[in-house]
Amino acid sequence: MRRDNNTIAGYDIAGATELAIAKIIGYTTVVHTLQSRISPTGSVLLFGGLAKDVPYPGSTTVTTVNAGVTGLVATLAKELAPIRVNAIHPGMVGDSPYWAGNERAVEAARARILTGVVPTMRDIVEGSMFLLENPAANGVNLNLNGGHA
């Protein structure tokens, strides 16, 4: 899936469709296909992103689709119970392949993060493991962004 940069002025319908299909229809199709194989004590984890709460120029589609992941968690948690369904919504992940080496962007993000700590891949993995393993976590949309201001 390519990185989304879609404004209203230059709206790319094909790109928007690709992103919506990948996240909303794609996630739903995978869960539908695997539902009979998921243990009643199992868990589903979806990935959204910070753009659902913090739009930026060019995030028209990704903001909308990531907000849709929140709705998908709510409905799947009800439909699949007792199987648990959660989502993780990271902000910038400083050591991810996309951002690693772009110190200028990472430092700019750090200035907007309340903790001053840009999340790492390890932070996202640990948050994911929490959502997958904790039997009390269901219908949770976990933001991992250091408190983006």
Side-chain angles (χ1 to χ4, degrees):
M1 182 168 45
R2 65 185 169 81
R3 192 123 178 120
D4 183 63
N5 185 13
N6 209 351
T7 63
I8 291 299
Y11 201 65
D12 173 7
I13 295 170
T17 302
E18 180 183 327
L19 183 59
I21 288 172
K23 278 201 170 177
I24 302 301
I25 296 170
Y27 287 171
T28 306
T29 301
V30 168
V31 172
H32 164 76
T33 302
L34 297 177
Q35 180 181 0
S36 65
R37 299 180 196 169
I38 304 172
S39 162
T41 59
S43 179
V44 173
L45 180 62
L46 306 178
F47 281 77
L50 176 64
K52 75 178 178 55
D53 297 319
V54 185
Y56 53 87
S59 74
T60 299
T61 304
V62 74
T63 293
T64 303
V65 169
N66 284 344
V69 170
T70 300
L72 189 56
V73 166
T75 190
L76 290 179
K78 300 265 188 203
E79 285 195 38
L80 296 177
I83 297 166
R84 297 176 304 101
V85 181
N86 299 293
I88 194 161
H89 299 273
M92 175 186 280
V93 180
D95 62 348
S96 69
Y98 188 83
W99 293 110
N102 189 343
E103 288 307 312
R104 186 173 174 193
V106 171
E107 287 309 311
R110 186 182 322 278
R112 294 186 307 272
I113 295 172
L114 297 177
T115 63
V117 177
V118 176
T120 65
M121 295 287 288
R122 181 183 183 121
D123 298 327
I124 306 311
V125 168
E126 288 176 357
S128 298
M129 295 307 297
F130 165 75
L131 292 173
L132 287 167
E133 294 175 350
N134 189 304
N138 189 31
V140 173
N141 283 282
L142 179 62
N143 292 341
L144 286 182
N145 57 41
H148 196 278

